């Protein structure tokens, strides 16, 4: 298991006199790993992590931004395939410890599981009133055709963007290839194109072209009156069950029979449809009766679960399956771990899951 420790505090980039400094935004850059900071191993040809010092040398342009940037690198930066809930808590704690000293946060993270981490952090942060921007890249920073520079520079600009001395963004976002998304609405869709992410059910919060534009009506308002709280208990006794034509009773029974299982993300067809065979519905019912929660999430990239639209989802509704609406699988997984960690009583769990907590799900009628 990979557990982080923070390595060092890098130098502060600052470019103006100290009286002006009080006004300009202070940004904390947190480096966790990913392609952005990788180099090719000459022997194996595989990409591996390299030192963060070298990464900063590749972007002298950072000195020109109208903000100060302080950075933290994790002791052992990792490929994001090795991320886990303990690491998410660690990242959240770095931000928590530095919350008052900084105006915005940029997290450099591998793109493979970025949507999972950023979704989880969005649920862990209650009453966030500052920007937390996740970014990474498809090509390493040293590569001639890299997308890393634009992603990093614009992410810092977004984190530093203010209006009337207030941050424009006060939620967890993911910036990639000219688009700023609400993080818990994103999913990685491409391992080749620079446009690696999409937000299928919610429009981008901003776009970077000749100008950096924000769509303010889409951005969550900060809840400044309430204290910023970090929820750190995540329960990962859950499973994602993706159904497919031909799935057998033996497979479903063994997955749902996992000891200590508390939650299931059921990835269904289309608008939330599943086989109507008795053994299937009975197994779901037994699982719910035992106290586990089952969330209906569509396998489709876009659109929403509408339970009861087809006969093939009526039974799911009847046995008490939770309607995941238009939530992404990544966000559903993070929300499930978060709500299980909060020990929400069984009788309110369904309605709380179906409620929008951090803008992750469209309100259902
Ligand atoms: N495998 C890398 C990671 O997720 C890919 C990337 O950074 O884009 O850490």
């Amino acid at each position: 298991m990979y557990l982080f420790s923070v390595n060092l505090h890098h130098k502060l980039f600052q470019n103006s006199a100290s009286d002006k400094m009080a006004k300009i935004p202070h940004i904390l850059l947190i480096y966790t790993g990913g392609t952005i900071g990788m180099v090719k191993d000459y022997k194996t040809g595989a990409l591996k992590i390299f030192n963060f010092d070298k990464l900063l040398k590749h972007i002298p342009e950072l000195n020109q931004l109208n903000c100060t940037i302080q950075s933290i690198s994790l002791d052992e930066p990792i490929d994001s395939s090795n991320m886990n809930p303990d690491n998410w808590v660690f990242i959240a704690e770095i931000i928590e410890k530095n919350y008052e000293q900084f105006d915005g946060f940029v997290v450099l993270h591998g793109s493979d599981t970025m949507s999972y981490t950023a979704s989880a952090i969005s649920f862990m942060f209650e009453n966030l009133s500052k920007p937390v921007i996740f970014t990474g890249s498809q090509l390493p920073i040293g590569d001639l055709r890299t997308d890393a520079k634009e992603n990093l520079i614009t992410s810092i600009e977004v984190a530093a963007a203010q209006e009337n001395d207030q941050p424009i963004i006060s939620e967890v976002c993911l910036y990639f290839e000219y688009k700023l998304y609400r993080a818990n609405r994103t999913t990685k869709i491409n391992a080749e194109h620079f446009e690696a992410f999409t937000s299928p059910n919610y429009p981008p919060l901003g776009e970077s072209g000749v100008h950096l534009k924000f769509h303010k009506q889409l951005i969550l308002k900060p809840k400044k009156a309430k204290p910023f709280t970090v929820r750190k208990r995540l329960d990962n006794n859950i499973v994602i069950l993706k159904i497919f034509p031909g799935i057998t009773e033996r497979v479903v029974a063994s997955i749902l029979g996992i000891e200590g299982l508390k939650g299931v993300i059921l990835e269904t067809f289309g608008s939330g449809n599943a086989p109507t065979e008795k053994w299937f519905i009975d197994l779901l019912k037994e699982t719910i009766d035992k106290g586990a929660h089952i969330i209906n999430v569509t396998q489709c990239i876009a659109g929403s679960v509408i339970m009861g639209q087809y006969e093939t989802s009526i039974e799911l509704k009847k046995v008490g399956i939770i309607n995941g609406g238009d939530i992404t699988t990544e966000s559903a997984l993070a929300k499930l771990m978060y709500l299980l960690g909060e020990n929400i009583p069984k009788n309110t769990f369904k309605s709380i899951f179906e409620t929008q907590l951090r803008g992750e799900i469209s309100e259902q009628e």
Side-chain angles (χ1 to χ4, degrees):
M1 182 175 72
Y2 281 79
L3 240 193
F4 297 145
S5 65
V6 174
N7 183 1
L8 47 116
H9 245 95
H10 280 272
K11 58 193 156 289
L12 193 69
F13 289 86
Q14 50 193 43
N15 31 25
S16 33
S18 53
D19 56 330
K20 273 203 223 149
M21 292 285 298
K23 286 234 154 144
I24 70 170
H26 302 304
I27 304 302
L28 182 64
L29 182 61
I30 302 160
Y31 176 56
T32 71
T35 300
I36 195 161
M38 289 184 179
V39 277
K40 237 188 199 136
D41 184 301
Y42 292 117
K43 284 189 203 137
T44 63
L47 286 172
K48 59 173 195 191
I49 302 280
F50 79 118
N51 192 305
F52 189 58
D53 275 328
K54 293 189 190 150
L55 186 145
L56 291 178
K57 274 189 205 131
H58 283 282
I59 331 173
E61 294 91 336
L62 291 178
N63 286 301
Q64 293 170 34
L65 295 173
N66 191 30
C67 59
T68 70
I69 306 165
Q70 201 162 344
S71 61
I72 284 179
S73 168
L74 304 176
D75 245 354
E76 284 183 47
I78 58 171
D79 187 294
S80 75
S81 302
N82 282 316
M83 278 285 166
N84 59 43
D86 290 335
N87 300 151
W88 298 343
V89 171
F90 195 87
I91 296 168
E93 283 177 339
I94 293 177
I95 296 174
E96 183 185 28
K97 282 186 200 127
N98 290 283
Y99 194 72
E100 292 310 323
Q101 295 93 281
F102 290 89
D103 301 294
F105 302 86
V106 174
V107 183
L108 297 181
H109 191 287
S111 63
D112 288 348
T113 67
M114 196 188 297
S115 292
Y116 289 95
T117 304
S119 296
I121 300 275
S122 79
F123 291 110
M124 291 162 77
F125 285 175
E126 203 173 307
N127 306 324
L128 181 66
S129 61
K130 298 188 179 186
V132 176
I133 316 296
F134 278 76
T135 195
S137 66
Q138 291 282 58
L139 282 175
I141 195 103
D143 198 288
L144 216 49
R145 295 174 48 254
T146 189
D147 53 331
K149 276 194 186 185
E150 200 285 320
N151 286 347
L152 174 53
I153 290 170
T154 308
S155 293
I156 294 173
E157 283 193 305
V158 169
Q162 296 191 348
E163 209 172 58
N164 305 324
D165 288 335
Q166 296 302 316
I168 293 181
I169 298 289
S170 51
E171 54 177 300
V172 181
C173 292
L174 187 155
Y175 180 81
F176 223 88
E177 193 63 5
Y178 304 107
K179 299 245 171 61
L180 179 71
Y181 301 113
R182 175 168 302 149
N184 58 32
R185 288 290 194 155
T186 62
T187 190
K188 184 171 179 182
I189 45 150
N190 207 307
E192 166 70 21
H193 294 167
F194 287 141
E195 204 166 340
F197 289 88
T198 191
S199 168
N201 291 323
Y202 199 76
L205 306 181
E207 267 147 291
S208 161
V210 174
H211 299 105
L212 184 54
K213 282 197 187 137
F214 294 98
H215 305 304
K216 291 191 189 136
Q217 73 287 2
L218 300 171
I219 298 169
L220 292 176
K221 305 271 172 296
K223 292 189 190 131
K224 284 217 215 95
K226 297 185 179 168
F228 173 58
T229 311
V230 183
R231 307 276 176 197
K232 298 180 193 172
R233 291 185 306 265
L234 299 170
D235 191 332
N236 63 354
N237 286 302
I238 66 172
V239 73
I240 298 177
L241 172 54
K242 180 170 182 163
I243 59 166
F244 56 89
I247 194 166
T248 61
E249 182 171 355
R250 195 159 58 99
V251 165
V252 177
S254 65
I255 291 174
L256 298 183
I258 294 169
E259 222 191 297
L261 189 68
K262 294 186 189 158
V264 182
I265 309 286
L266 185 69
E267 274 203 3
T268 56
F269 307 125
S271 53
N273 308 312
T276 49
E277 283 171 89
K278 189 173 178 307
W279 65 261
F280 183 72
I281 303 296
D282 284 350
L283 281 172
L284 297 178
K285 186 169 181 322
E286 269 167 41
T287 309
I288 292 170
D289 289 346
K290 275 192 282 174
H293 305 283
I294 305 183
I295 327 294
N296 188 353
V297 172
T298 176
Q299 294 178 12
C300 293
I301 186 80
S304 182
V305 163
I306 309 172
M307 293 217 281
Q309 187 181 32
Y310 289 88
E311 218 174 29
T312 40
S313 65
I314 283 181
E315 288 304 316
L316 303 183
K317 196 172 179 178
K318 276 194 199 149
V319 296
I321 287 189
I322 296 170
N323 187 345
D326 63 356
I327 201 168
T328 60
T329 295
E330 292 88 332
S331 198
L333 176 133
K335 190 172 185 177
L336 185 54
M337 283 193 196
Y338 160 67
L339 290 179
L340 286 172
E342 289 298 301
N343 284 323
I344 308 286
K346 194 171 183 242
N347 57 347
T348 50
F349 196 96
K350 183 174 186 297
S351 68
I352 293 180
F353 197 100
E354 290 175 354
T355 305
Q356 186 187 92
L357 300 180
R358 309 279 189 269
E360 76 286 355
I361 191 171
S362 301
E363 297 286 4
Q364 299 166 22
E365 294 101 53

